[in-house]
Amino acid sequence: MRSPRAYALSLLASDITTQRVATLLALFLAAGTLSSMLSAEDELWWQNNFSALGMRVASGSYAFNVTVILSGLVLITLSGYLTRDLRVRSIRYAVPARGVGIVRTLLVVVGVAFMGVGAVPVDVSQLLHNTFSIGLIGAFVALIAACPALIAGLPRAFVAASGVFVAAMVLAVLLWVPIGYYNLTAVELLAVVVVFTWLVLFTRNVSTEPMPDADAATGPSAAPEVSP
């Protein structure tokens, strides 16, 4: 007989959805980063970049690095949930599922890059740390830019929002280099906000709930019921 704790955990696990995983991921990353900021010994860490929070000399480095590594693991898990939702959605609404594999691959790359950023602090290997960081940003920008073309039947409002998010990230980089309006920390903060806001919206729009736009799908509005 299962213990009450195991039974409660099984109920919670059975009720997990893609949207909840994405929302919890964003909240977990925000909470872990905020905790590291508050416990940082160097009050001027923000003059460098977020990677300074993960340096071994920082008092909150352990919390920051563990948060980033676990966020990467959750992203890889989320890719599986999204793959399932996208395939169910393609059957239910009779839309092509040609881009599902690419979306999952890009999310896995982002997850691995996240883990690399946390596992290799900047003071251990700046080259490797920066490689993971650049790979993370590049894969996510590619995902945001390509999703409207890869996933058929997305609501027009979400497609327009994706274009705005890409433009916002480009503008954030330009305000850093070459304009020099702010430093790298501001770029990273804006990028994280844009990326995870888009991710929560994406999981919401590719769920198996009815599509917001009546003309978003070319097929039937619901899949036929199958007799047991």
Side-chain angles (χ1 to χ4, degrees):
M1 181 180 293
R2 293 185 296 179
S3 66
R5 181 181 299 177
Y7 179 70
L9 290 174
S10 65
L11 289 178
L12 289 173
S14 64
D15 201 34
I16 289 292
T17 64
T18 308
Q19 295 181 47
R20 291 180 181 177
V21 172
T23 303
L24 288 174
L25 171 60
L27 293 175
F28 172 74
L29 183 61
T33 303
L34 180 61
S35 174
S36 300
M37 291 178 184
L38 295 175
S39 61
E41 293 180 356
D42 184 6
E43 298 180 356
L44 301 178
W45 64 266
W46 54 271
Q47 294 184 359
N48 298 314
N49 50 56
F50 271 122
S51 300
L53 292 174
M55 295 174 63
R56 291 179 296 179
V57 296
S59 58
S61 62
Y62 179 78
F64 179 81
N65 291 330
V66 169
T67 297
V68 174
I69 292 173
L70 291 179
S71 296
L73 287 172
V74 176
L75 267 173
I76 294 174
T77 303
L78 181 64
S79 69
Y81 278 87
L82 274 172
T83 299
R84 179 202 62 188
D85 282 0
L86 287 169
R87 287 175 177 166
V88 171
R89 177 179 176 276
S90 69
I91 296 173
R92 177 170 296 183
Y93 302 113
V95 293
R98 59 181 181 273
V100 174
I102 299 176
V103 170
R104 181 170 189 174
T105 299
L106 288 173
L107 274 174
V108 170
V109 170
V110 172
V112 172
F114 248 107
M115 295 174 63
V117 168
V120 185
V122 67
D123 58 335
V124 173
S125 175
Q126 184 174 3
L127 176 60
L128 190 56
H129 180 89
N130 290 343
T131 300
F132 282 123
S133 298
I134 294 172
L136 188 157
I137 295 174
F140 236 131
V141 170
L143 179 63
I144 296 175
C147 258
L150 293 174
I151 307 301
L154 287 174
R156 288 172 293 184
F158 176 75
V159 172
S162 296
V164 172
F165 286 143
V166 172
M169 293 191 70
V170 172
L171 179 61
V173 173
L174 291 177
L175 287 174
W176 170 49
V177 176
I179 297 176
Y181 182 74
Y182 45 48
N183 62 6
L184 179 58
T185 303
V187 178
E188 292 174 328
L189 177 60
L190 290 173
V192 168
V193 171
V194 169
V195 160
F196 281 94
T197 300
W198 179 88
L199 185 60
V200 171
L201 290 176
F202 179 59
T203 56
R204 179 181 177 84
N205 279 277
V206 299
S207 66
T208 54
E209 296 300 320
M211 292 183 179
D213 293 346
D215 59 345
T218 57
S221 59
E225 295 184 358
V226 179
S227 302

